[in-house]
Amino acid sequence: MVVGDVTTGTELLVIGGGPGGYVAAIRGAQLGLDTTLVERDAYGGTCLNHGCIPSKALISATDVAHDAGQAEDMGVYADPAVDMSAMSEWKDGVVTRLTRGVESLCESAGVNLIEGTAEFVDDETVRVAHGGEGQGSESVAFEHAVVATGSRPVEVPGFEFDGDRILSSKDALALETVPDDLLVVGAGYIGMELSTVFAKLGADVTVVEMLDDVLPGYEDDVAEIVRERAESLGVEFAFGEAARDWTELDDGIRVSTTDENDDVTEYNAEQCLVAVGREPVTDTVGLDAVGLEPADDGFLSTDQQARTDVEHVFAVGDVAGEPMLAHKASAEGEVAAEVAAGEPAALDQQAIPAAVFTDPEIGTVGMSESEAEEAGFDPVVGEMPMRASGRALTLDEKDGFVRIVADADSEFLLGAQIVGPEASELIAELGLAIEMGARLEDVASTVHTHPTLSEAVHEAAMAARGEAIHTR
């Protein structure tokens, strides 16, 4: 039976159920708005289903096996066997539990859930096409709309994803067997996270990168620690090379690259993971019908209230520009819903933290020393190496550091960079400090638990004041 087109109405329409969209929907419902959320794939979006959560699950599981097999210095001798299929099943279980949790949270808040693909008809209506042949469509009239359609992996010309030989990050996270040889195109955070995972699982990994080092955008000494750790795991790097084309072999593929001199290098591998970045999804929702046009980079321009150029249409998350981070999307989603409900909300964060789940982890927030100088500050820097941390040594993790950047005159914290174990957790303290307008003295005079990794944050603040106790 074909379902005919019907029309319903809602005060707040949210298109996309990722960390920006579902948060906007729940917050809108909490504030009394009749709220409708349209999702075409799975609640939780890319982050929960095909990115942040499954990748961290695989990283955690892989680390358990790898660390157990590399603990001879601690007197532990083991030769763990990894069942990739079982590991993948466990990872999928984590994802399913969280996906169902998001759906349950939305329903409990009173959000109307619609499965399908939404496209604007005009600036007051969308049409939602339901998946499956003969399922029909419905129209939804709205007073306010939030575009939260997320992002997708960038394809390199000639390397279109097929899920077999040429993999996206989504494809790589769904593998149930470990390739013997894996070629990774791109040494950004996605490429480095997954390269590390598959190297620890026993694959021979080669990373091809156009630039001259890993992790573009991070400071050299940060990137160096991660690259050297990856090399110690057997990952090989080819810098200054761009993927050109590939051919099928009986047992894999051959990928050709070129450098700035047009010299060609060939690599044989079982599979190729292309991880050169992500692009916003703004071409599926019919933005022209609502009077919106993305910028040249594909993003939608928004103000401090997450509004687009059309006042009653908001954009949050990856479609709204860098940084493309789930927690930034959630913050924007809350603001968009509150503004739609008439609340005096705005995006006024001093700094947004970021984390890379490589080995070791990276956590950053605010400005680096060079960025502070460019902004007109006279920065003072304090640093604590992990090799001087008692807790880091008991974890057999001596690589990395905590670095704090502050204004020399006022001692206001401006930024921080952490490389080492649990960096993604440690950065939260410094993010809070920057948001609260804390000074070096505030962190340095706060008693930190011993023995913990957080003591390195305390010592770095002390060092910035010239009062270091445990470092020279």
Side-chain angles (χ1 to χ4, degrees), residues 392-416:
L393 294 181
T394 65
L395 294 170
D396 198 27
E397 292 280 359
K398 64 180 183 299
D399 296 331
F401 55 80
V402 174
R403 177 188 295 144
I404 292 178
V405 181
D407 177 58
D409 182 39
S410 66
E411 287 201 356
F412 279 115
L413 269 67
L414 302 174

Side-chain angles (χ1 to χ4, degrees), residues 9-15 24-25 28 32-38 120 122-126 140-147 290 305-308 310-315 335-343:
T10 191
E11 291 178 292
L12 177 63
L13 173 72
V14 181
I15 304 174
L33 295 176
D34 181 80
T35 303
T36 299
L37 172 62
V38 181
F120 286 106
D122 52 41
D123 62 0
E124 296 180 345
T125 314
V126 298
V140 181
F142 60 85
E143 295 181 16
H144 304 276
V146 176
V147 179
V290 78
Q305 292 186 310
R307 293 184 189 272
T308 65
V310 178
E311 186 176 5
H312 66 289
V313 177
F314 303 80
V335 167
E338 289 168 0
V339 173
E343 300 288 328

Side-chain angles (χ1 to χ4, degrees), residues 45-62:
T46 294
C47 176
L48 197 159
N49 292 277
H50 311 299
C52 311
I53 297 302
S55 66
K56 277 50 187 186
L58 281 186
I59 288 170
S60 296
T62 302

